[in-house]
Amino acid sequence: AMLRQNIGWFDDERNSSGHLTTRLSSDAGQVQGATGSRLGTIVEMVTGLVMVLIIAFVYSWVLTLVILGIIPLMIVAGLLQVKALAGHAINSKKALENAGKVAVDSFENIRTIAALGIEDTFLEKYRGLIWKPYRRSLLNSFVYGFTYGFAQSIPFLMFAIVFRFGAYQVTLDPGNIAFLEFQNVFRVFT
């Protein structure tokens, strides 16, 4: 779509070569991430989840219901982590686009910049544009660390709950509806 624009479109400050190259480099990665291996991974995960649920219900429907009760907590933790990271990417995109414009413009006009001896001016301008996203990233790193830690701790919480409940089921009398043989705990869980 960029190649079919009128000549005047490129005169706009938002459509300079620096902005466009930075935008193209980030957009290409996003398009590849949305289609390529991600789609195949999603299909593989859904198919695997259905098969695992069938096997788990066959061996112990009670323990499987306990596991299914924990899954919403895992989803919430994952969504919090994704939301925290996605919010940062949107905020930094504009500032990094402007910094990319300065870098590309200075590379394109390196002879003129060197002849005038203003390399330090462009370097300081670039540093000024990078400084705000850098500071924001440092401050937000604590939020990202907390959400990452929370999201990564939920599976271990699930392990503890499932194995504890499975151990309880093993100790029940064989005539009890919730009784479970030892090896079946691992069959349900894995």
Side-chain angles (χ1 to χ4, degrees):
M2 284 187 204
L3 297 176
R4 296 186 181 164
Q5 298 295 328
N6 292 329
I7 297 294
W9 186 77
F10 295 99
D11 293 335
D12 187 4
E13 182 69 24
R14 293 172 297 172
N15 301 325
S16 68
S17 59
H19 280 283
L20 294 178
T21 53
T22 304
R23 196 177 316 150
L24 280 174
S25 67
S26 64
D27 289 349
Q30 291 172 351
V31 168
Q32 180 185 9
T35 57
S37 62
R38 185 176 293 173
L39 186 61
T41 303
I42 290 171
V43 170
E44 182 181 339
M45 288 175 53
V46 169
T47 305
L49 182 63
V50 169
M51 295 305 295
V52 164
L53 285 175
I54 291 170
I55 293 169
F57 272 113
V58 166
Y59 283 105
S60 175
W61 62 273
V62 177
L63 190 57
T64 305
L65 290 177
V66 170
I67 293 171
L68 289 176
I70 299 170
I71 288 178
L73 185 60
M74 293 178 72
I75 292 171
V76 167
L79 289 176
L80 284 175
Q81 185 179 4
V82 167
K83 185 177 180 183
L85 292 175
H88 172 68
I90 291 170
N91 292 337
S92 295
K93 184 177 180 179
K94 182 66 176 170
L96 294 175
E97 199 172 277
N98 290 334
K101 177 193 177 302
V102 169
V104 169
D105 287 347
S106 63
F107 291 142
E108 287 177 349
N109 302 309
I110 190 67
R111 290 182 187 166
T112 306
I113 291 171
L116 296 174
I118 54 174
E119 295 96 343
D120 292 336
T121 305
F122 277 88
L123 180 62
E124 290 304 316
K125 188 174 182 180
Y126 180 78
R127 283 183 181 163
L129 291 171
I130 290 294
W131 182 249
K132 284 183 182 179
Y134 172 73
R135 292 293 301 160
R136 195 176 313 129
S137 293
L138 284 179
L139 295 174
N140 289 339
S141 64
F142 297 108
V143 174
Y144 305 144
F146 176 77
T147 56
Y148 180 77
F150 178 68
Q152 296 301 312
S153 68
I154 296 301
F156 294 108
L157 175 67
M158 184 180 78
F159 295 160
I161 291 171
V162 168
F163 282 123
R164 176 64 184 108
F165 189 73
Y168 167 73
Q169 285 184 298
V170 169
T171 62
L172 294 174
D173 292 327
N176 193 322
I177 192 169
F179 173 73
L180 185 62
E181 293 179 4
F182 177 74
Q183 66 270 17
N184 288 346
V185 173
F186 293 103
R187 288 182 181 144
V188 170
F189 188 67
T190 56

